[in-house]
Amino acid sequence: MTEEAAPPLELRGISKSFGGVAALRDVDFVLRRGEIHGLVGENGAGKSTLMKIIAGLHGQYDGRMAIDGRPVHFRSPREALAAGIGMVHQELSVVPDLSVAENVYLGQQPTKGGIVDWRAMMDGARRHLASLGIDVDPGARMGSLAIGLQQLIELARVLFSGARIVILDEPTSALSPPEVQRLFEVLRGVRASGRSIVFISHFLDDVLAISDTVTIFRNGRLIATEAAGTIDKGWLIQRMIGRGHEELEGSYTGAIALYSKPDAPVVLDVRGLAAGRAFADVSLDVRAGEVLGIYGYMGCGLIELARTLFGKLRADAGTMSIGGKVLRPRSTAEACRAGIAFVPESRRSMLFHTEPVYKNMSISVLGRIGRLLLRPSVEKDIARRHVQSLSIRPPTVETLLGSLSGGNQQKVALAKWLTWPPKVLVLSEPTRGMDVGAKEDVVRIVKGLREQGMGVVVLSTEPETVLSLADRIVVMKKGRIVHEFAGRTVSKDQLLEAA
Amino acid sequence: MTAMRVFLRNQMRIIAPFATLIVLVAFFCLTSGSFASLDNAANILTQISVTGIIAVGLTFVILCAEIDLSVAAIANVTGIAVAYFTLQEGYVNIANVPLPGFAAIILALIGCFMLGLVNAAGITLIGIPSFIMTLAMMQIGAGISALLVRGQIAYAVPDLVSLLGAGRVAGIPCLVLVAAAFLLAGHLVLTYTRFGRYVYMVGGNREAAEYAGVNVKLVLGAVIVISAMCSGVAGMLGVAHFGSAQQNEFDGYLLDAIAAVVVGGTSLFGGRGGIGNTIIGLLILGVLNNGLDHIQIDSFLKILIRGLILLAALIINVYVQKVRESA
Ligand SMILES: Nc1ncnc2c1ncn2[C@@H]1O[C@H](COP(=O)(O)OP(=O)(O)OP(=O)(O)O)[C@@H](O)[C@H]1O
Ligand SMILES: [Mg+2]
C-alpha cells in the first residue's frame, strides 16, 4: 500500500504539565486509518489530557502532531474541527430544547435565500442518521429522547461536521447494555467508512469488544500498544496498575452469593414512596450493616429515588423512617441531620471546582469540627487522612479540585461523608468513571462502612457495581420495584433479565 | 519562578483593582495640587464611610450570587425612623413620636431587621428572585419613608447616633471608625467562621452545597438580613452625618455600593472575592469622586468620565480573570 506512509494522526514526544506537575510524559501515539483505538488507564493517567490536546482544547504542550503527515498545532477546538477532528465529551453537549435535526445541523443549517431551509434540514438529518443506522424522527425534541440516543445523535453531529477522526471520552458510562450494543454497531459502520475512532473507557470488556488496537496509559506515560485480538483483560489490568487484579474483575462475571441480615435493626424504612411521574409505590428497607443494591436502566427512576431519599426532591406520597424516626425530609439539611448522606452521580453538581480538595471534603462536617469558628488545620488533617486512605492523586489537600482527574474527583465526593459516618449512606453510581483499582477501593470502603453498622443504599445502572457491593438487590423498572434478589446467588445475566 | 507566577495569577482578583487604585491616585497627585494632602485623605475616608457600611452587607449578598437592590431604600427608612422617634425642634412640622434615644435606635434597628426578614422570606420561602424581591422592597422602603416624613425634613437624632455619625475621637471622625469596624467584622466573619465558609460555598456552587447538607436557604436568608442591618446602621449614621433626614436622601448609594463591591473584584457570579476587594473598590470610588473635584474640568463632563473610568476598571477585572482561568 502506498498510503501506508502517512497515518491520519501521529503524535511524537508529547509532554504536558500543569503548574509543574507532569500529566503526559513523552508520549508517541499513532492512529491508523479505519481503526477503533481503545485507550485505557487508571484515573489521572492522562487519557483525557492527550485527547484534549488532539482536539485543540489544550494549546500549550511540547512535542509534535501531524495529520496525514502534515504538521499541525491546534490552539482551539475550531481549528481541530476544521482539520477533521471531532470529540464527543463525557458530559453531553446537545441542546435539549432543539429538534434532533437542528442538533445534527448545529451551527451549519442549510439556508435558502437567507432563511433556514427546514425541509432540506429534516431530509438531510434523516438521511444522515439512517446512514448510521440510527432510526429516530428528526423532528423530535432532543430532550425527550433517552440518554443513549442523545449520545448517538451527538456522535452523528460530530461525524456530520466532517470529522474523520472521532474521539469518544467515556461514552458508555451512562448507557444500558442494549444502548452500548447500538453504539458499537454505529462505530463499526463509521470504521467501515474509513474513518478512525479513539475510544476511552474504564469498561475493559467494552474496550476489548470494540477495539482493533488498545493503548495503555499509566502515570502520564504510554505503556504499551497492542492488537486487541492478542490480549485479554488480566493482561490489560496488569499493565494499567502494574500488579495483578484478575481476581477482582473475575468476581464480576461469576454468580455472587448474597447475604441478608434478618436480625439487624432496620435503619431505613420506606413505604409506598412516590414522586411525580418518576417513580411510584416504592417500598424498601435497609438494615444496619447491610448494603442494598438498586439496579435499573437509565431513566427508570433511580436518580429521582435517590434525591427523594435525601430531601432534594419532595415525595408526593408514602412514608420514610430513619433509625425508627419517621420523617419526610423537606430539605437536604434536614435529611442530613436525621442521619442520611448522599453522593450524587454528577461530579459537576456535587463539588466545588474552584476550591481546594480539603474544603470539598470538610464542607459536610464543618459543624462538627467547630460550631462557630473554622479550624483549617483540623480540616486539612482530616482531608490528608482521606487522601491517603483513598489514594487520591495528586496527594495534596491544597490542590484545586477542578485540576483533579474525573475519577479522583469522585473519590473526593465520597470522602466527605466518611469522617463522621451517617446512619444511612445513599450512593448513586459510586464507581462511574473510576478505574479498576479505584473501584476496588470503593468496594473496600463500602465493606468497611458495612462492618461499622452503617446501612448503605447503592443505586446504579452498572450491573457490576451493584453485584460487587450489594448484600441484597432490588431491580427497578419504569419507576417501580419489579424484583428482589436476596439470600441466594445472582449473576449478571439474571439481573439484566429482571430489568 | 513558576510558583511565583501561580501565586500572582491567584492573586489577580485583588492585584488588578489595586493597580487601578494606584494609577488613579498617581494621576490625581500629578494633575492637582490640592489632592495630595492628609486632610483630603481624611475627607475621602469620610466620604466613603456610609457607602462602606452598606457595602459590607452587600459583599455577603453578592458572594452568594444574589443581589440586594433595596439597600439604599432601607438605609433611608431606618435613618428617617430614628429621627421620627426623636424629639424634633418646634419648627419641624412632623407628627412624630418622641422616645428616649436608646428606644429610638432599637426601634429603628428592629425596623430594618424586619424589612430584611421580609426580603429573606420572599427570596427563600416563596422563591422570588432576589433581583425582583429587593426591587419591590426598594419601592416599599421609599413608600414607608414618604409616609413618615410627608415631604418634610427632620434634623434631630439621638445623641449616640449623632456622636457616631458626626462626632470625632482624637481628631478622627467616628463615622470612619465605625465603617472600619464593620469592614473588619465582615472580613473576620467571612474568613474565620463556619458561616463565612458557607457563604463562599453557596456562592461557588449552590447545588453542591445543598448536596453537602448545607442549609442553603438559611444562609441566603442570613446574608439578606445582614445586608439590611448594615444598610440600617449606614442610614442612621448617614442622617447624623448629613445633618438631616429626608426622602430620597440615599438614592445615589445603591449604585455606589454595588460599584464598590464589583469594581473591587468580587464576582457577581458568587463565590470569589471578599471584604479586601470591597475596601479597594471603596477607595477607587472615593478617590475618583473626590479627585475629579480637584481638577479643572467641566462639572457635567465629570459624570461621564466617572462612568467611563468605572467601566474601564471592570473591563480590566474581567480580562485579568479570563487570563487567569485560561492559563
Ligand atoms: N486543567 C488542569 N489543571 C491541572 N491539572 C490537571 C488539569 N487537567 C488534568 N490535570 C491533571 O493531569 C493528570 C491527568 O488527568 P486526565 O484528566 O488526563 O486523566 P484521565 O486519564 O482522563 O483520568 P480519568 O479516568 O479519571 O478521567 C491528573 O493528575 C490531573 O490531576
Ligand atoms: Mg478523563
Side-chain angles (χ1 to χ4, degrees), chain B residues 7-17 317 320-321 324:
Chain B
F7 174 79
L8 281 181
R9 224 191 287 140
N10 288 338
Q11 301 301 315
M12 268 309 173
R13 189 168 287 280
I14 196 100
I15 290 175
N317 284 359
V320 162
Q321 280 150 28
R324 173 175 183 252

Side-chain angles (χ1 to χ4, degrees), chain A residues 307 310 312 332-333 336 342 344 348-352 354-355 358-360 362-364 366-367 370-374 379 416-417, chain B residues 2 6 10 190-198 200-202 204-216 271-272 324:
Chain A
R307 278 159 177 65
F310 192 57
K312 172 82 174 152
T332 59
C336 237
F342 176 48
R348 186 169 299 175
S349 63
M350 67 179 159
L351 294 165
F352 304 91
T354 55
E355 301 285 353
Y358 80 90
K359 290 191 188 175
N360 272 284
S362 63
I363 177 78
S364 47
L366 279 180
R371 284 232 54 85
L372 182 65
L373 295 183
L374 294 172
E379 286 177 52
K416 73 182 172 196
W417 297 112
Chain B
T2 38
V6 170
N10 288 338
L190 280 177
T191 325
Y192 296 107
T193 69
R194 185 154 73 99
F195 173 69
R197 173 72 63 77
Y198 287 158
Y200 279 99
M201 295 312 224
V202 167
N205 186 344
R206 187 165 299 180
E207 204 182 357
E210 206 177 343
Y211 280 131
V214 175
N215 196 334
V216 172
R272 289 149 169 250
R324 173 175 183 252

Side-chain angles (χ1 to χ4, degrees), chain B residues 24-325:
Chain B
L24 281 179
V25 170
F27 173 78
F28 287 121
C29 286
L30 292 176
T31 50
S32 143
S34 53
F35 178 78
S37 76
L38 219 52
D39 270 355
N40 193 44
N43 267 341
I44 294 178
L45 291 183
T46 317
Q47 286 161 4
I48 60 176
S49 289
V50 172
T51 320
I53 299 171
I54 298 177
V56 171
L58 205 54
T59 305
F60 280 78
V61 176
I62 291 179
L63 278 175
C64 280
E66 297 289 343
I67 191 73
D68 185 348
L69 299 178
S70 63
V71 286
I74 291 181
N76 205 358
V77 174
T78 316
I80 286 175
V82 83
Y84 184 82
F85 293 122
T86 306
L87 184 63
Q88 300 291 333
E89 300 289 342
Y91 56 83
V92 176
N93 189 16
I94 295 179
N96 68 341
V97 184
L99 292 173
F102 74 90
I105 294 173
I106 288 175
L107 278 178
L109 285 176
I110 290 177
C112 65
F113 178 78
M114 296 307 291
L115 295 182
L117 221 49
V118 172
N119 267 340
I123 293 165
T124 61
L125 299 184
I126 306 178
I128 307 171
S130 59
F131 184 88
I132 306 293
M133 181 65 216
T134 57
L135 194 66
M137 182 54 71
M138 187 168 143
Q139 276 300 307
I140 293 171
I144 299 175
S145 300
L147 282 174
L148 289 178
V149 289
R150 297 188 168 272
Q152 303 295 308
I153 300 177
Y155 300 96
V157 290
D159 289 342
L160 178 63
V161 173
S162 61
L163 171 70
L164 291 178
R168 284 172 180 265
V169 278
I172 306 171
C174 291
L175 186 58
V176 174
L177 296 178
V178 173
F182 266 73
L183 287 162
L184 180 66
H187 177 69
L188 294 178
V189 168
L190 280 177
T191 325
Y192 296 107
T193 69
R194 185 154 73 99
F195 173 69
R197 173 72 63 77
Y198 287 158
V199 168
Y200 279 99
M201 295 312 224
V202 167
N205 186 344
R206 187 165 299 180
E207 204 182 357
E210 206 177 343
Y211 280 131
V214 175
N215 196 334
V216 172
K217 288 183 174 172
L218 191 65
V219 172
L220 290 180
V223 299
I224 293 287
V225 170
I226 288 174
S227 172
M229 295 298 283
C230 288
S231 307
V233 171
M236 288 198 276
L237 303 194
V239 163
H241 178 63
F242 306 135
S244 68
Q246 55 188 300
Q247 187 75 27
N248 300 340
E249 194 166 24
F250 289 85
D251 283 1
Y253 284 80
L254 170 60
L255 286 183
D256 270 13
I258 295 178
V261 175
V262 177
V263 168
T266 294
S267 166
L268 273 174
F269 301 106
R272 289 149 169 250
I275 296 290
N277 296 90
T278 299
I279 292 176
I280 293 181
L282 285 166
L283 290 172
I284 290 178
L285 230 64
V287 165
L288 189 57
N289 288 344
N290 173 288
L292 286 174
D293 290 338
H294 283 262
I295 54 174
Q296 301 294 319
I297 44 168
D298 179 349
S299 57
F300 296 108
L301 189 59
K302 280 179 187 168
I303 303 171
L304 180 61
I305 290 181
R306 200 187 132 198
L308 291 176
I309 292 179
L310 289 181
L311 179 63
L314 287 175
I315 290 174
I316 293 172
N317 284 359
V318 169
Y319 177 74
V320 162
Q321 280 150 28
K322 274 220 183 95
V323 169
R324 173 175 183 252
E325 268 138 35

Side-chain angles (χ1 to χ4, degrees), chain A residues 33 58 78 83 95 121 179 182 193 250 266 275 303 320 335 339 346 358 377 388:
Chain A
R33 195 171 312 283
H58 289 314
R78 186 178 290 267
V95 189
M121 190 159 85
E179 287 174 327
R182 189 155 52 160
S193 69
V266 173
I303 290 183
M320 225 175 111
S346 141
Y358 80 90
S377 61
Q388 208 169 32

